Amino acid sequence: MTILLASQRMRLYDSNELDDVLQAMARKAATMLPPAHAALIGIQRRGEPLAQRLRQYIAHHTCQPELPLYPLQVKRYADDLQVLHTYTQLTDNPALGRLDLANTTLLVVDDVLFEGHSLLRACAYLAQLGARRVYTAVLVDRHICQQPIRADIVGVHLQVAATDIVECNVPPFEQVFCIEVVRHGAAR
């Protein structure tokens, strides 16, 4: 007889704790990004609003104007980690092609580093456009990346089961800024 247990949802970080995490990430980013020749790349969906928050904190920390932010649509998984595309899909952002990427330091921001497909595809795309200095930042690194990519700036390190889903709830897509883990019941 097989019995499926219900999913369990656990909140790991609330909004106040994540603001502190983003402040620390911004301090590290400020040491890596030259104020005159830097830009943020926000991987859509949740990477973009995280990048918006980061650039505000970086500007506050450095007393410099906010860095430019460019969204980049990269998609492989659904929110439940179901594979949507065999190959990671990326939609060109024409504004990036007009930048002097050879002389601009970029910080690519995403919510979760899972297997690494999206972050690797974004960095490869930027290199193809001529970028020479690309750093990466993720709110959560799950430490199960299967691609030759790493995050230079990590907010939270989580080691949870590969079948667990780490949900970064980020306004405006969710009401409350938090990190939750959804653990699906095991069959017995």
Side-chain angles (χ1 to χ4, degrees), residues 72-178:
L72 190 59
Q73 186 175 9
V74 182
K75 194 69 174 169
R76 180 171 171 87
Y77 301 102
D79 288 340
D80 65 359
L81 300 183
Q82 180 183 24
V83 175
L84 293 176
H85 305 287
T86 305
Y87 298 101
T88 305
Q89 303 293 309
L90 184 141
T91 303
D92 289 329
N93 181 335
L96 289 170
R98 294 190 289 272
L99 292 178
D100 178 11
L101 292 178
N103 295 306
T104 303
T105 301
L106 302 174
L107 180 63
V108 180
V109 180
D110 203 1
D111 58 345
V112 178
L113 178 54
F114 181 49
E115 291 182 345
H117 295 279
S118 298
L119 208 54
L120 180 62
R121 180 70 174 98
C123 291
Y125 169 72
L126 295 168
Q128 182 182 354
L129 292 178
R132 291 188 182 163
R133 284 176 304 281
V134 179
Y135 296 107
T136 57
V138 295
L139 184 59
V140 176
D141 186 343
R142 293 192 54 178
H143 295 282
I144 57 174
C145 186
Q146 299 175 357
Q147 300 298 309
I149 191 85
R150 63 165 170 46
D152 299 295
I153 301 171
V154 176
V156 176
H157 298 270
L158 291 179
Q159 292 182 324
V160 297
T163 56
D164 291 347
I165 298 172
V166 174
E167 289 186 355
C168 291
N169 297 308
V170 182
F173 300 110
E174 290 83 24
Q175 199 168 8
V176 177
F177 187 33
C178 65

Side-chain angles (χ1 to χ4, degrees), residues 40-89:
L40 299 178
I41 309 295
I43 294 182
Q44 292 181 330
R45 289 200 339 160
R46 289 167 184 85
E48 184 181 8
L50 287 171
Q52 291 170 354
R53 288 175 182 241
L54 264 179
R55 81 175 177 167
Q56 291 171 352
Y57 290 142
I58 293 168
H60 183 263
H61 181 71
T62 61
C63 299
Q64 298 286 330
E66 288 185 2
L67 297 170
L69 170 62
Y70 300 91
L72 190 59
Q73 186 175 9
V74 182
K75 194 69 174 169
R76 180 171 171 87
Y77 301 102
D79 288 340
D80 65 359
L81 300 183
Q82 180 183 24
V83 175
L84 293 176
H85 305 287
T86 305
Y87 298 101
T88 305
Q89 303 293 309

